[in-house]
Amino acid sequence: MKVLVLNSGSSSIKFQLFQCDDWGVLASGAVTRIGESEALMRCAWTDAEGVQQSLEQRAAIPDHHRGLQRIAEALAQTGSLADASELLAVGHRVVHGGEAFHAPTLVDDDIIEAIRQVIPLAPLHNPANLDGILVARELFPSIPQVAVFDTAFHQTMPRTAYRYAVPDYLYREHGVRRYGFHGTSHHYVGRRAAELLDKPFEQCNLITLHLGNGASATAIREGSSIDTSMGMTPLEGLVMGTRSGDIDPAVPFYLSKHLGLDNETLEGLLNRQSGLLGLCGDNDMREIQRRAEAGEEAAELALGVTAHRLKKYIGAYLAELGPTDALVFTGGIGENSAELRLRACAGLEHLGIHLDAGVNAEVSTQERAVSRPESPIKVLVIPTNEELQIARETVEAVS
Ligand code: ADP
């Protein structure tokens, strides 16, 4: 049997089709620019002879319904999925599950309503995720649909970690608390780290660092998330591509009062014009590293602030966890930026983190240890695979 994983955004649907018995990827791709005059459909697959193939088509795709239809047609055309009856289930990424969802969940009408209830907490993401589910139900009515939430892995956080020190009714009546995101990625690399350490996940204490355009750190105690850097929204925590991460909560009041900025402007400022982009005008880490090497002050500052914040969180989570097995880097930056790994780990030898500068500098796409063999806390680089994690959790949920 096969599992189709869908990640529906406001103008895109990304997909991956897995073979359940060996988790091989049969096909993957995306429909992007849905609703624009010309949408782009990309699909890559392995043909019967084992040769990698790909197709690209441009045509108007007015909505998600037509987008998913195109994906189903492409999968049939490539021979990856001749008929929908070959599907065991469809797994959907859903960004926010609020407090209602602790695990992957088989979708029915009540679940759809419950996801709808959470929309105010994730107005940019959940409506598109929900659209994907509704369309897939229409298109594959007899196939189970499973929702896998970015927040679910963090539902094990204790109250002391997830509550903000604000009036109690804001939590009780309005859901103001920390939820955390990137849960699927933290969970996936955590499990892979346990396998590399040859230790049951349930016995591992880990700090996982997902560093992509969005970035978050998670403290995992005995296989469960006990703290994470993103909060009620993905804005809190580490320095990101275009998000500020932690700032004094009074800054927006100050800007509102002295510059007359309204809520929408402030939201855009902190979510889309801050972070690396705000500090140096670039949010591509490769370019920032190149500029910093060439001696550009602003790029050097952006790297420095990012590494400083990262180190602060590593220290905080070491204090929370006590004995720690490994620090795990993932995401486009975590997997590829030896420079940032080096800066984040520099000077942490007294805490048991001994990076091997030579091994760390080697370019690789493989899972690997970049710490010295004698390092009490291992430093691992593990490419994330959220789609595979969603596929596995989808199968678990239906069986
Ligand atoms: P997203 O959160 O959008 O999935 P990714 O996980 O793909 O993002 O990460 C994107 C970031 O990874 C970008 O800042 C990009 O510059 C960075 N990145 C990708 N490759 C490298 C590399 N070789 N060296 C440094 N940074 C890299």
Side-chain angles (χ1 to χ4, degrees):
M1 296 295 280
K2 299 170 183 177
V3 171
L4 180 63
V5 172
L6 296 180
N7 182 352
S8 308
S10 56
S11 63
S12 68
I13 307 175
K14 294 184 191 137
F15 66 93
Q16 262 190 44
L17 182 71
F18 290 89
Q19 184 77 55
C20 292
D21 48 11
D22 61 359
W23 299 116
V25 178
L26 297 167
S28 65
V31 178
T32 49
R33 300 189 219 140
I34 294 173
E36 290 181 27
S37 55
E38 197 179 62
L40 178 65
M41 157 90 201
R42 284 180 293 107
C43 180
W45 74 101
T46 311
D47 69 14
E49 278 80 47
V51 179
Q52 272 291 315
Q53 303 281 359
S54 65
L55 69 79
E56 256 191 41
Q57 288 171 346
R58 283 162 215 276
I61 296 183
D63 52 28
H64 282 63
H65 185 92
R66 185 69 197 119
L68 190 55
Q69 256 177 351
R70 280 296 303 118
I71 291 172
E73 284 161 15
L75 292 175
Q77 195 183 331
T78 62
S80 326
L81 185 73
D83 192 276
S85 63
E86 294 171 43
L87 282 177
L88 177 68
V90 182
H92 298 265
R93 175 183 183 220
V94 181
V95 166
H96 216 308
E99 286 190 331
F101 297 104
H102 299 220
T105 305
L106 202 55
V107 172
D108 60 18
D109 291 343
D110 292 342
I111 297 299
I112 286 180
E113 192 42 43
I115 297 173
R116 225 189 281 281
Q117 298 287 326
V118 184
I119 285 178
L121 290 173
L124 296 180
H125 294 103
N126 271 33
N129 302 157
L130 196 54
D131 243 17
I133 294 176
L134 295 173
V135 164
R137 273 183 118 198
E138 257 173 61
L139 221 57
F140 310 120
S142 57
I143 309 296
Q145 311 286 324
V146 174
V148 178
F149 301 90
D150 270 17
T151 48
F153 182 59
H154 300 301
Q155 279 295 305
T156 47
M157 279 195 286
R159 281 189 302 183
T160 45
Y162 72 67
R163 286 293 299 270
Y164 291 117
V166 296
D168 192 57
Y169 77 93
L170 292 179
Y171 167 61
R172 306 254 164 240
E173 294 167 29
H174 302 284
V176 176
R177 54 157 282 181
R178 312 182 61 254
Y179 294 95
F181 298 88
H182 290 146
T184 309
S185 176
H186 289 292
H187 194 179
Y188 174 80
V189 297
R191 281 199 175 279
R192 284 301 303 151
E195 282 166 24
L196 292 183
L197 296 167
D198 202 15
K199 201 172 168 180
F201 185 46
E202 293 68 26
Q203 290 173 22
C204 284
N205 286 357
L206 305 165
I207 298 173
T208 50
L209 304 165
H210 178 109
L211 312 176
N213 272 316
S216 65
T218 294
I220 299 177
R221 176 181 289 143
E222 296 172 352
S224 298
S225 169
I226 60 156
D227 204 354
T228 192
S229 59
M230 284 179 167
M232 176 163 159
T233 76
L235 185 54
E236 192 179 340
L238 301 173
V239 175
M240 309 182 213
T242 62
R243 295 190 198 120
S244 64
D246 297 335
I247 57 163
D248 182 336
V251 170
F253 315 146
Y254 178 88
L255 296 177
S256 155
K257 202 163 161 188
H258 293 278
L259 302 184
L261 303 185
D262 59 18
N263 272 347
E264 211 168 305
T265 309
L266 285 167
E267 218 173 326
L269 195 70
L270 295 179
N271 276 294
R272 292 186 291 281
Q273 295 166 40
S274 296
L276 295 168
L277 183 70
L279 283 165
C280 73
D282 244 316
N283 62 340
D284 184 326
M285 184 50 84
R286 287 162 289 202
E287 185 57 17
I288 295 169
Q289 287 177 184
R290 193 196 58 71
R291 286 173 51 196
E293 265 168 44
E296 267 194 58
E297 183 92 14
E300 175 55 40
L301 178 70
L303 273 181
V305 175
T306 304
H308 173 82
R309 184 85 50 87
L310 207 45
K311 192 177 286 194
K312 245 163 94 161
Y313 270 92
I314 293 170
Y317 289 171
L318 285 173
E320 283 191 55
L321 286 171
T324 301
D325 297 287
L327 200 61
V328 185
F329 284 90
T330 194
I333 296 173
E335 291 163 30
N336 298 301
S337 175
E339 178 66 27
L340 202 69
R341 292 195 299 263
L342 185 69
R343 290 185 186 225
C345 295
L348 298 186
E349 292 78 9
H350 68 295
L351 295 171
I353 296 173
H354 300 257
L355 198 74
D356 184 320
V359 177
N360 180 56
E362 286 168 16
V363 176
S364 167
T365 54
Q366 301 300 307
E367 294 178 341
R368 61 205 185 273
V370 293
S371 44
R372 291 178 177 278
E374 71 276 15
S375 183
I377 299 176
K378 306 296 173 214
V379 183
L380 306 174
V381 179
I382 301 184
T384 195
N385 196 336
E386 290 165 278
E387 292 77 13
L388 175 58
Q389 182 69 17
I390 293 174
R392 285 182 173 152
E393 294 190 14
T394 297
V395 171
E396 275 168 34
V398 291
S399 46

